[in-house]
């Protein structure tokens, strides 16, 4: 795949975020390079995905309120990393499985 | 000596007295002076129970009459068939023949045998009244016999059923044989025996259909039963091979196809005899075909292949099976392009099993091996290449005279150093070494203004003979440079829409941009929509010598990766022969054929 | 399959015999005999050797192995059991087309799944998906699709048998046997013996076993050659023996069969042939007659024997009446089902 | 998990579909029991998911046109099945990996 389309595929992205803005309720001034997975998994679809897409589009399958049939593999971490920091009271905290280390089209 | 039947069937009842005649077995002679002696193997065989000693049945050594020498009572029945729940269990006797009297009771396997399958009824002989007339007439409704051709006449069957007819003395049972006029069979009404009255010739007629009619009269009541009686004439190899219309000569020319296995010519040999294909081993040996030559080159270079077909002859109206033998002259190895000679090649055909004269004949192949010239018809070749052409774009083909007609001839094409230091083009060897494909291998050179016209000396060399041909290739560059977006994929096949396709280039493009092929869109079709570097060569169902160098060039022809969606693989298992909607690929990962109206749900979380 | 407990399984018989020194001695002799028969015909043995084999067989057949049989329709050690069976019966059944004695225990008709089939048939005819019910073969396939095992094993054989030219016939046959052995008869009978009134239905019926791989070959072999390769394979030889026994024709009986009430057993034995060297199939898309893929040209003096082999499938009164009565049955059940109200 | 939620979790569903309606371009009168995975994977989320969800909600992360960051494991087949059928020309066709055989929250 050429330079252009590689950019769209599922890959690792990162973002500088304050620990307090992670939304987990910790109070800390430290920042973390939050790594997450995003991008297209078009190239990993199967006949199942094509069929499910078609049936969803024709409303042959009408998912329930909580149902969310996914018609393509999803771009997800295939490896996680934990992260430790000192909160405002200088107590050490560790949050497990919070950073994506590697990404892949799974499922 | 031989039996006219392979199997005999009869019923046996309990308590039938010793001495009761059961069945008359016949044998036919291979030669007039033979005498016939009948023997029973000492053991009888019971399906599912195996072998047991035969204490109850005897055969008259001279007449072949099978009889009970000891009555079979209930106790015998139980010991023989203990636990055998079949309603009418069977026991099998083996009868064999010798042409000299001897006392030995050894049932050697080399003797021809007939099987006597006796159904043992677990009851005494039924009263005559309870028997149906047809039961009185025939033990066996399958009256089929085989008689060898060229053998002496003899009696081969007796219609009457001894035991049952003895039981029904007051019923009058008579038989007649219904047959066309002039058939070589004679029926003796007194003893109800049928005799083949003369030597038969299978090549005249191999099947006779008669009818055995039995009439039972009891008082005023008369009933008759008819059963077909079939005589098959067994073949003997008594006919020599012959040529259908006397043609034993044909021409065999070796020119462009010089590859091992090439069939050069074929000649037919006929035989009025049949040729069985089973057992395969002996079938293969029956008819041979040997190249008659002392020249080692000829023996090494050619071989004779033989297959045979069953055909029908129609002597005086009846249909008789015969054989057509086909002898093909085949190249046994590749022949050099320089080889040039003419000679007559003889194949000696031999009917190994035929004992008479003319058992073999000779086939003549007038062989002419023509040389092939290795030359270009043009002194120069001229191609124009757009300066925006990408690597692997195919410029054209180079082909010496008749190159597409060659088989077993391997030609290598090579470009020598060009007149200017503009090395932009090279050549790939086409399939089976017939032609060369010119393609761009350094697109950056095309963009240099100092490179306008490039001349390459070209050599075509035939690998085996080292013969060479020369020509001159002129490449003229033209067209103004255009720019491609950096975001474009390397492979045209990645694009799924016309706009994506035509706004980008990719490996193999001729004029800088990919070309969109709009398909017919109906179901799974060979005319699927796709984005291609050059519609002329991709997709065309062939993963050619250039496309094979990198799957990004034309995955539509070359991919071996997983193809998802409605599709049909290429004939050789590579590429996409037919697809549904738009076929696009992530080279070396997967290809998809899907309708282009399926909009991807763009987001997951946000829905 | 309870009925099987009464008769004797050949594997159990072998275990018992091996544990009994006297029996084991004879069994060893018979095993050597069986191997030498495989190399050359029983009749070519020196007569003393042959008598020793016959003696050993006589002893063995009255020992633990008396009337031993093998499982039908399950893969449980089928090949091992058949090897034992034919070792025990090697001397007396030599390269004879009429084997007639079947190594398989008797047919037991399955009851429980009839209800499952009927439930799926009703589910299909009552479903929102409009299904063409004019084509009985298609309908039988669609009921099969709703049963996971039937769908799974059908997809298995179809995928392997249609995987392109040249196909792997051995694998194709094995997977076809698995389908016919493991899927309930109540799904298979309507699928294979569907009553067709037109060629579209007939074409589907003809294609059911993927014939271009499982049935046809480039040129038709002689039936004697086909039989020869069958007799060299224990499974094919056993299925043929079973077919000859269950489908033995009779010119006198009303249903055309020698054995009484043997239509179901005959059909099962016929289906047992599918997936062997002598795989039968319908003659064409417009006939419900069946045949083998072989001819009797080039038979020489063995034309009669060759015709007998071909006609045991192509012209067998018992088999034909069994197939036709099954087709009538399928037709009647379809008509009854069409009366089920659509949801 | 409450009484109702077991039904909502990621599991196998099935639907009777005509092969010609699968959307793959095949012409066949046969039907297939199409099996697909659907349902919630909330119970399988990690700290990564909570954080990503929060950042997406606060628009700290704004996915590009082809990006699709997924903030929970997705309900996907963990085992597929192939499916063979006869098309209208009675040619046998096989579609690989088209039916879900087992489902799970993956990634």
């Amino acid at each position: 795949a050429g330079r252009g389309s590689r950019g769209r595929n599922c890959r690792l992205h990162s973002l500088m975020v304050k620990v307090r803005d992670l939304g987990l309720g910790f109070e800390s001034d430290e920042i973390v390079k939050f790594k997450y997975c995003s991008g297209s998994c078009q190239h990993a679809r199967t006949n199942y995905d094509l069929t499910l897409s078609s049936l969803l589009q024709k409303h042959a399958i009408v998912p329930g309120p909580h149902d969310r049939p996914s018609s393509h593999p999803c771009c997800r971490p295939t490896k996680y990393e934990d992260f430790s920091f000192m909160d405002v009271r200088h107590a050490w905290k560790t949050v497990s499985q919070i950073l994506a280390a590697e990404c892949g089209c799974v499922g | 000596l031989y039996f006219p039947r392979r199997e005999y069937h009869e019923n046996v009842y309990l308590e039938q007295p010793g001495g009761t005649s059961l069945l008359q077995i016949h044998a036919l002679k291979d030669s007039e002076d033979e005498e016939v002696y009948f023997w029973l193997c000492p053991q009888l065989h019971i399906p599912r129970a195996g072998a047991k000693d035969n204490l109850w049945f005897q055969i008259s050594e001279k007449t072949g009459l099978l009889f009970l020498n000891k009555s079979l009572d209930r106790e015998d029945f139980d010991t023989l068939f203990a636990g055998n729940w079949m309603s009418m269990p069977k026991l099998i006797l083996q009868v064999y023949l010798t042409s000299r009297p001897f006392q030995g009771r050894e049932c050697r396997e080399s003797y021809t045998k007939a099987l006597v399958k006796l159904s043992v009824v677990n009851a005494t002989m039924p009263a005559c009244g309870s028997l149906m007339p047809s039961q009185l007439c025939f033990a066996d409704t399958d009256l089929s016999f085989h008689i060898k051709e060229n053998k002496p006449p003899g009696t081969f069957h007796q219609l009457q059923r001894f035991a049952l007819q003895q039981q029904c003395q007051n019923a009058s049972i008579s038989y007649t044989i219904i047959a066309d006029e002039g058939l070589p069979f004679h029926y003796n009404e007194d003893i109800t025996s049928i005799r083949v009255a003369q030597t038969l010739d299978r090549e005249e007629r191999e099947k006779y259909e008669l009818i055995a009619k039995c009439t039972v009269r009891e008082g005023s009541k008369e009933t008759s039963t008819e059963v077909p009686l079939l005589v098959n004439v067994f073949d003997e190899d008594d006919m020599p091979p012959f040529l259908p219309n006397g043609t034993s000569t044909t021409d065999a020319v070796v020119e462009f196809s010089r590859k091992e296995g090439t069939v050069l010519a074929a000649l037919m040999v006929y035989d009025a005899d049949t040729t069985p294909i089973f057992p395969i081993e002996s079938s293969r040996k029956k008819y041979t075909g040997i190249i008659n030559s002392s020249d080692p080159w000829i023996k090494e270079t050619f071989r004779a292949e033989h297959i045979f077909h069953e055909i029908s002859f129609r002597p005086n109206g009846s249909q008789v099976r015969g054989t057509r033998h086909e002898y093909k002259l085949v190249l046994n190895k590749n022949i050099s392009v320089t080889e040039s000679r003419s000679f007559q090649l003889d194949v000696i055909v031999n009917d190994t099993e035929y004992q008479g004269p003319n058992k073999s004949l000779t086939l003549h192949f007038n062989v002419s091996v023509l040389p092939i010239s290795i030359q270009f018809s043009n002194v120069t070749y001229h191609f124009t290449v757009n300066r925006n052409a990408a690597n692997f774009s195919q410029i054209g083909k180079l082909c010496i005279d008749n190159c597409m007609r060659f088989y077993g001839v391997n030609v290598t094409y090579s470009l020598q150093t060009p007149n200017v230091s503009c090395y932009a083009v090279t050549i790939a060897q086409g399939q089976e070494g017939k032609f060369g494909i010119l393609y761009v291998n350094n697109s950056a050179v095309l963009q240099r203004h100092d490179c306008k016209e490039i001349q390459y000396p070209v050599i075509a060399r035939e690998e085996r003979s080292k013969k060479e041909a020369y020509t001159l290739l002129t490449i003229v560059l033209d067209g103004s440079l255009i720019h491609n977006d950096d975001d474009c994929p390397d492979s045209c096949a990645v694009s799924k829409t016309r706009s994506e396709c035509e706004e980008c280039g990719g490996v193999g493009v001729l004029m800088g941009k990919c070309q969109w092929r709009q398909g017919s869109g109906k179901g799974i079709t060979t005319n699927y929509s796709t984005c291609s570097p050059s519609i002329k060569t991709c997709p065309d169902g062939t993963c050619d010598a250039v496309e094979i160098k990198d799957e990004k060039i034309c995955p539509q022809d070359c991919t071996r990766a997983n193809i998802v969606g409605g599709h049909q693989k290429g004939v050789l298992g590579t590429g996409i022969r037919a697809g549904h909607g738009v076929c696009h690929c992530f080279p070396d990962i997967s290809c998809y054929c899907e309708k282009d109206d399926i909009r991807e749900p763009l987001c997951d979380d946000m829905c | 399959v309870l009925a099987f407990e009464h008769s004797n399984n050949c594997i159990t018989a072998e275990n018992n015999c091996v544990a009994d020194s006297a029996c084991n001695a004879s069994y060893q002799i018979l095993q050597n005999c069986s191997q030498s028969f495989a190399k050359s015909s029983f009749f070519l043995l020196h007569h003393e050797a042959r008598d020793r084999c016959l003696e050993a067989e006589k002893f063995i057949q009255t020992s633990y192995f008396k009337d031993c049989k093998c499982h039908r329709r399950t893969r449980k050690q089928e090949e091992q059991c058949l090897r034992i069976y034919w070792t025990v019966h090697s001397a007396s059944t030599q390269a004879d087309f009429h084997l007639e004695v079947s190594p398989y225990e008797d047919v037991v008709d399955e009851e429980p799944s009839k209800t499952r089939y009927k439930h799926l048939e009703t589910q299909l005819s009552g479903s929102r998906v409009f299904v063409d019910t004019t084509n009985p073969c298609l309908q039988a396939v669609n009921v099969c699709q709703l049963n996971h095992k039937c769908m799974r094993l059908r997809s298995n054989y179809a995928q392997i048998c249609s995987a392109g030219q040249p196909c792997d016939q051995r694998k194709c046959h094995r997977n076809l046997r698995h389908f016919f052995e493991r899927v309930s008869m109540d799904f298979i009978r309507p699928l294979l013996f569907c009553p067709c009134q037109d060629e579209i239905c007939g074409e589907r019926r003809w294609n059911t076993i993927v014939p271009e791989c499982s049935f046809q070959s480039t040129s038709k072999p002689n039936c004697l050659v086909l039989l020869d390769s069958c007799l060299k394979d224990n499974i094919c030889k056993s299925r043929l023996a079973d077919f000859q026994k269950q489908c033995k024709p009779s010119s006198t009986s009303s249903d055309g069969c020698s054995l009484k009430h043997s239509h179901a057993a005959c059909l099962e034995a016929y289906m047992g042939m599918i997936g062997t060297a002598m795989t039968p199939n319908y003659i064409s898309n417009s006939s419900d007659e069946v045949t083998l893929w072989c001819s009797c040209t080039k038979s020489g003096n063995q034309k009669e024997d060759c015709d007998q082999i071909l006609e045991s499938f192509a012209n067998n009164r018992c088999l034909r009446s069994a197939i036709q009565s099954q087709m009538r049955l399928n037709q009647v059940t379809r008509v009854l089902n069409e009366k089920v109200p659509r949801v």
Side-chain angles (χ1 to χ4, degrees), chain A, chain B, chain C:
Chain A
R3 198 178 49 69
S5 64
R6 212 172 300 114
R8 283 186 245 157
N9 282 348
C10 168
R11 62 184 177 81
L12 201 60
H13 298 255
S14 64
L15 179 81
M16 300 305 285
V17 185
K18 283 185 172 170
V19 168
R20 76 164 31 84
D21 295 336
L22 292 175
L24 299 179
F26 292 107
E27 281 305 317
S28 170
D29 300 320
E30 290 190 15
I31 64 155
V32 58
K33 190 181 191 183
F34 178 68
K35 291 181 286 181
Y36 64 94
C37 300
S38 186
S40 159
C41 280
Q42 290 300 296
H43 60 278
R45 289 173 303 152
T46 58
N47 285 311
Y48 166 85
D49 298 312
L50 267 59
T51 304
L52 188 53
S53 268
S54 167
L55 295 174
L56 284 168
Q57 184 145 3
K58 290 183 223 163
H59 302 298
I61 293 178
V62 180
H66 301 282
D67 282 348
R68 184 174 299 102
S70 161
S71 61
H72 52 77
C74 46
C75 178
R76 288 283 299 172
T78 49
K79 198 169 158 219
Y80 289 95
E81 281 170 355
D82 304 344
F83 170 63
S84 298
F85 57 91
M86 257 198 267
D87 68 9
V88 286
R89 281 180 293 284
H90 299 107
W92 278 97
K93 299 290 180 186
T94 296
V95 184
S96 63
Q97 288 196 309
I98 183 169
L99 306 180
E102 287 163 8
C103 300
C105 292
V106 297
Chain B
L1 293 175
Y2 66 96
F3 291 103
R5 273 179 80 95
R6 205 189 304 272
E7 280 182 15
Y8 292 82
H9 299 97
E10 190 47 275
N11 290 348
V12 178
Y13 299 89
L14 297 188
E15 322 293 355
Q16 279 181 293
T20 304
S21 303
L22 292 175
L23 185 58
Q24 176 62 59
I25 294 186
H26 291 89
L28 290 171
K29 295 181 181 178
D30 284 324
S31 59
E32 203 51 67
D33 53 8
E34 281 181 315
E35 288 185 54
V36 183
Y37 296 90
F38 295 88
W39 300 92
L40 261 187
C41 288
Q43 299 227 301
L44 53 85
H45 173 77
I46 297 173
R48 288 162 42 103
K52 297 219 191 258
D53 291 335
N54 167 28
L55 313 174
W56 298 272
F57 305 98
Q58 267 297 338
I59 192 164
S60 150
E61 188 183 323
K62 275 302 287 169
T63 68
L65 182 67
L66 187 77
F67 59 91
L68 269 171
N69 74 335
K70 175 168 112 65
S71 174
L72 197 143
D73 55 31
R74 181 163 308 285
E75 197 189 310
D76 297 328
F77 183 90
D78 292 341
T79 47
L80 276 173
F81 306 110
N84 186 328
W85 42 265
M86 289 181 84
S87 59
M88 207 163 24
K90 235 190 236 108
L91 61 83
I92 301 169
L93 298 169
Q94 283 187 309
V95 183
Y96 62 96
L97 302 168
T98 63
S99 53
R100 284 188 312 285
F102 69 93
Q103 291 315 317
R105 294 174 65 89
E106 201 192 311
C107 168
R108 266 201 217 118
E109 104 304 310
S110 58
Y111 297 136
T112 16
K113 292 195 183 62
L115 298 182
V116 177
K117 295 191 173 179
L118 299 174
S119 302
V120 184
V121 182
N122 188 2
T124 55
M125 170 79 82
C128 191
S130 68
L131 291 166
M132 291 202 305
S134 60
Q135 282 175 298
L136 286 175
C137 289
F138 301 107
D140 216 322
T141 49
D142 168 23
L143 289 181
S144 62
F145 303 87
H146 49 259
I147 295 174
K148 289 184 185 175
E149 68 169 334
N150 311 328
K151 299 301 177 197
T155 300
F156 62 89
H157 188 58
Q158 194 158 343
L159 291 169
Q160 75 181 113
R161 292 187 76 177
F162 297 105
L164 283 177
Q165 288 175 13
Q166 247 171 338
Q167 174 84 338
C168 299
Q169 302 285 348
N170 45 23
S172 131
I173 302 162
S174 64
Y175 295 89
T176 53
I177 292 293
I178 304 167
D180 298 338
E181 273 310 314
L183 292 190
F185 302 103
H186 175 258
Y187 174 62
N188 178 332
E189 200 132 359
D190 305 336
I191 53 172
T192 72
S193 68
I194 315 165
R195 182 182 152 74
V196 54
Q198 67 192 54
T199 298
L200 300 181
D201 177 5
R202 191 204 66 87
E203 281 71 37
E204 271 307 305
R205 181 166 179 173
E206 64 177 354
K207 201 186 282 266
Y208 296 89
E209 276 141 18
L210 301 81
I211 294 174
K213 180 179 178 184
C214 166
T215 308
V216 178
R217 292 182 192 78
E218 270 175 309
S220 60
K221 213 172 81 182
E222 180 181 301
T223 48
S224 59
T225 324
E226 290 184 2
V227 168
L229 191 148
L230 182 66
V231 175
N232 284 300
V233 183
F234 267 18
D235 192 14
E236 200 178 56
D237 195 334
D238 58 351
M239 300 299 281
F242 67 94
L243 296 163
N245 33 33
T247 46
S248 66
T249 305
T250 187
D251 292 337
V253 176
V254 179
E255 191 173 13
F256 296 115
S257 184
R258 305 169 92 85
K259 192 174 185 177
E260 185 277 328
T262 301
V263 177
L264 302 173
L267 278 170
M268 303 300 165
V269 172
Y270 281 64
D271 191 323
D273 293 321
T274 60
T275 310
I277 193 158
F278 183 78
I280 290 170
E281 261 328 295
S282 55
S283 154
R284 219 174 257 135
K285 292 189 197 117
K286 185 172 195 305
Y287 249 82
T288 57
I290 297 155
I291 292 180
N292 179 29
S293 171
S294 53
D295 176 341
W297 181 80
I298 289 180
K299 296 185 94 163
E300 205 187 281
T301 306
F302 300 92
R303 64 174 183 261
E305 283 182 0
H306 162 238
I307 52 171
F308 63 90
H309 313 273
E310 186 165 275
I311 53 172
S312 294
F313 290 101
R314 286 189 178 287
N316 54 50
S318 80
Q319 180 165 317
V320 170
R321 293 168 298 155
T323 313
R324 180 180 80 241
H325 296 274
E326 184 178 354
Y327 285 88
K328 293 185 225 171
L329 186 63
V330 179
L331 280 184
N332 199 40
K333 65 173 189 171
N334 287 13
I335 289 193
S336 160
V337 293
T338 53
E339 194 63 63
S340 165
R341 57 171 91 185
S342 291
F343 52 91
Q344 176 169 301
L345 185 150
D346 291 347
V347 174
I348 297 177
V349 170
N350 187 14
D351 179 354
T352 58
E353 288 175 10
Y354 174 59
Q355 301 313 321
N358 318 317
K359 69 195 273 81
S360 64
L361 49 80
T362 304
L363 303 177
H364 310 289
F365 292 91
N366 295 331
V367 180
S368 32
V369 181
L370 308 177
I372 300 179
S373 58
I374 302 293
Q375 65 192 22
F376 282 104
S377 34
N378 293 17
V379 176
T380 66
Y381 288 82
H382 189 91
F383 293 97
T384 309
V385 177
N386 188 290
R387 286 183 182 281
N388 298 293
N391 281 341
F392 298 112
S393 54
Q394 297 188 27
I395 298 162
K397 287 193 172 78
L398 286 183
C399 174
I400 58 172
D401 281 2
N402 299 308
C403 85
M404 292 311 285
R405 301 171 67 187
F406 289 162
Y407 286 97
V409 176
N410 202 348
V411 179
T412 314
Y413 296 83
S414 57
L415 302 189
Q416 304 310 296
T417 316
N419 60 341
V420 287
S421 60
C422 302
Y423 301 89
V425 171
T426 186
I427 194 162
Q429 304 311 319
Q431 265 86 358
E432 293 173 331
K434 293 179 190 277
F435 51 85
I437 306 176
L438 290 165
Y439 68 96
V440 171
N441 70 337
N442 189 346
S443 56
V445 168
L446 303 179
Q447 293 166 14
R448 279 173 33 201
H449 290 296
D450 57 322
C451 300
K452 293 187 177 54
E453 182 168 302
I454 318 166
Q455 286 188 335
Y456 294 86
V458 179
I459 301 177
R461 171 208 293 255
E462 199 279 323
E463 278 317 310
R464 189 165 164 190
S465 63
K466 304 301 182 225
K467 279 181 78 176
E468 290 185 346
Y470 308 94
T471 188
L472 190 68
L473 168 65
T474 305
I475 303 285
V476 174
L477 308 187
D478 84 341
S480 52
L481 290 181
I482 52 171
H483 171 68
N484 272 327
D485 186 345
D486 291 346
D487 197 24
C488 283
D490 293 351
S491 171
C492 294
V494 169
S495 302
K496 290 204 290 194
T497 64
R498 179 185 288 275
S499 57
E500 262 181 31
C501 176
E502 291 171 347
E503 73 190 18
C504 280
V507 284
V509 297
L510 287 168
M511 314 276 275
K513 294 295 181 188
C514 301
Q515 297 175 338
W516 178 257
R517 182 178 86 165
Q518 182 55 47
S520 62
K522 187 77 190 69
I524 298 169
T525 162
T526 49
N527 186 16
Y528 52 85
S529 302
T530 195
C531 182
S532 160
S534 155
I535 291 180
K536 204 176 60 180
T537 54
C538 168
D540 62 359
T542 306
C543 183
D544 62 44
V546 174
E547 289 168 349
I548 209 164
K549 291 177 183 295
D550 183 340
E551 188 159 318
K552 292 200 282 296
I553 302 168
C554 182
Q556 296 97 327
D557 277 345
C558 297
T559 190
R560 290 182 182 280
N562 189 27
I563 304 170
V564 179
H567 73 278
Q568 199 180 349
K569 276 199 155 75
V571 174
L572 303 174
T574 71
I576 307 168
R577 182 169 174 279
H580 175 228
V582 177
C583 292
H584 60 101
C585 293
F586 302 89
D588 296 319
I589 302 175
S590 54
C591 288
Y592 289 82
C593 294
E594 54 189 317
K595 287 302 272 178
D596 42 19
D597 53 7
I598 300 281
R599 279 292 145 264
E600 269 315 305
L602 268 183
C603 63
D604 237 2
D605 265 8
M606 291 309 166
C607 302
Chain C
V1 180
L2 294 182
F4 188 59
E5 264 52 46
H6 305 312
S7 66
N8 176 11
N9 178 291
C10 293
I11 295 177
T12 324
E14 185 186 54
N15 297 339
N16 295 337
C17 175
V18 166
D20 170 333
S21 57
C23 179
N24 190 29
S26 289
Y27 189 49
Q28 297 298 331
I29 294 171
L30 209 48
Q31 283 181 308
N32 299 337
C33 296
S34 172
Q35 270 133 34
S36 52
F37 300 154
K39 291 192 200 74
S40 66
S41 148
F42 165 81
F43 294 111
L44 299 182
L45 285 183
H46 191 271
H47 65 81
E48 272 142 22
R50 205 182 63 245
D51 292 345
R52 207 168 45 252
C53 293
L54 279 175
E55 211 45 51
E57 181 177 87
K58 211 157 72 171
F59 171 85
I60 283 290
Q61 286 191 355
T62 54
S63 68
Y64 301 95
F65 292 97
K66 183 168 174 47
D67 289 338
C68 83
K69 289 284 177 180
C70 292
H71 270 302
R72 180 185 289 277
R73 283 179 49 80
T74 68
R75 64 183 184 287
K76 267 187 269 170
Q77 303 152 318
E78 180 183 11
E79 293 205 36
Q80 180 194 354
C81 187
L82 294 178
R83 182 181 43 73
I84 297 167
Y85 179 89
W86 290 113
T87 299
V88 171
H89 295 83
S90 48
S92 50
T93 50
Q94 266 308 297
D96 175 7
F97 173 52
H98 294 290
L99 302 156
E100 291 196 13
V101 180
S102 169
Y104 293 107
E105 97 281 1
D106 290 328
V107 174
V108 175
D109 201 2
E110 298 158 40
E111 261 322 308
S113 65
K114 271 207 166 69
T115 41
R116 197 170 17 145
Y117 185 84
K118 197 147 287 332
H119 161 69
L120 290 176
E121 215 172 19
T122 321
Q123 183 189 346
L124 178 67
S125 50
S127 84
R128 272 183 307 123
V129 179
F130 171 73
V131 173
D132 165 16
T133 56
T134 60
N135 182 334
C137 294
L138 176 62
Q139 190 164 3
V141 162
N142 285 336
V143 173
C144 168
Q145 303 289 37
L146 302 185
N147 173 279
H148 185 250
K149 188 176 191 181
C150 192
M151 182 278 287
R152 186 77 265 112
L153 291 174
R154 177 176 184 253
S155 284
N156 281 358
Y157 81 70
Q159 183 163 7
I160 286 179
C161 297
S162 61
Q165 294 302 333
C167 72
D168 185 332
Q169 190 182 59
R170 205 179 46 78
K171 261 196 201 151
C172 171
H173 278 169
R174 189 172 62 229
N175 279 274
L176 267 170
R177 290 202 306 271
H178 288 170
F179 177 77
F180 283 100
E181 283 160 9
R182 298 176 198 171
V183 174
S184 147
M185 274 295 155
D186 293 291
F187 287 105
I188 291 179
R189 286 200 194 110
L191 192 77
L192 191 61
F193 304 115
C194 32
C196 289
Q197 314 298 331
D198 57 64
E199 284 193 2
I200 290 182
C201 173
E203 184 72 19
R204 170 172 285 278
R205 181 173 62 188
W206 188 78
N207 258 295
T208 297
I209 62 169
V210 200
E212 65 268 16
C213 178
S214 68
F215 173 65
Q216 294 170 314
S217 52
T218 33
S219 61
K220 270 190 182 180
N222 182 284
C223 301
L224 294 161
V225 174
L226 207 64
L227 173 68
D228 185 58
S229 55
C230 179
L231 294 179
K232 287 183 170 122
D233 168 71
N234 271 346
I235 287 187
C236 188
K237 179 177 177 175
S238 309
R239 302 294 177 84
L240 180 61
D242 195 41
F243 172 75
Q244 286 176 344
K245 174 188 173 188
Q246 312 292 357
C247 297
K248 187 170 193 302
S250 148
S251 49
T252 51
S253 85
S254 59
D255 69 358
C257 301
S258 291
L259 298 182
K260 290 197 174 42
H261 319 304
S262 67
H263 275 180
C266 174
L267 290 184
E268 188 157 339
Y270 168 80
M271 286 188 269
M273 292 304 298
I274 297 173
T276 68
M278 290 176 79
T279 291
N281 193 23
Y282 291 96
I283 290 176
S284 70
N285 60 10
S286 54
S287 161
D288 56 13
E289 304 271 339
V290 296
T291 187
L292 291 173
W293 182 257
C294 62
S295 83
C296 281
T297 60
K298 304 192 207 176
S299 295
N301 288 341
Q302 299 176 82
K303 180 88 167 46
E304 253 182 289
D305 304 329
C306 184
D307 291 338
Q308 229 178 42
I309 298 164
L310 188 54
E311 280 165 16
S312 66
F313 286 85
N315 189 16
N316 179 329
R317 268 172 53 90
C318 178
L319 177 59
R320 187 180 310 123
S321 76
I323 290 176
Q324 275 164 6
S325 71
Q326 178 65 46
M327 284 187 175
R328 277 192 301 274
L329 180 65
N330 290 343
Q331 185 63 14
V332 166
T333 5
R334 268 169 35 74
V335 168
L336 292 178
N337 277 336
E338 263 153 27
K339 295 193 171 62
V340 170
R342 178 169 294 284
V343 166

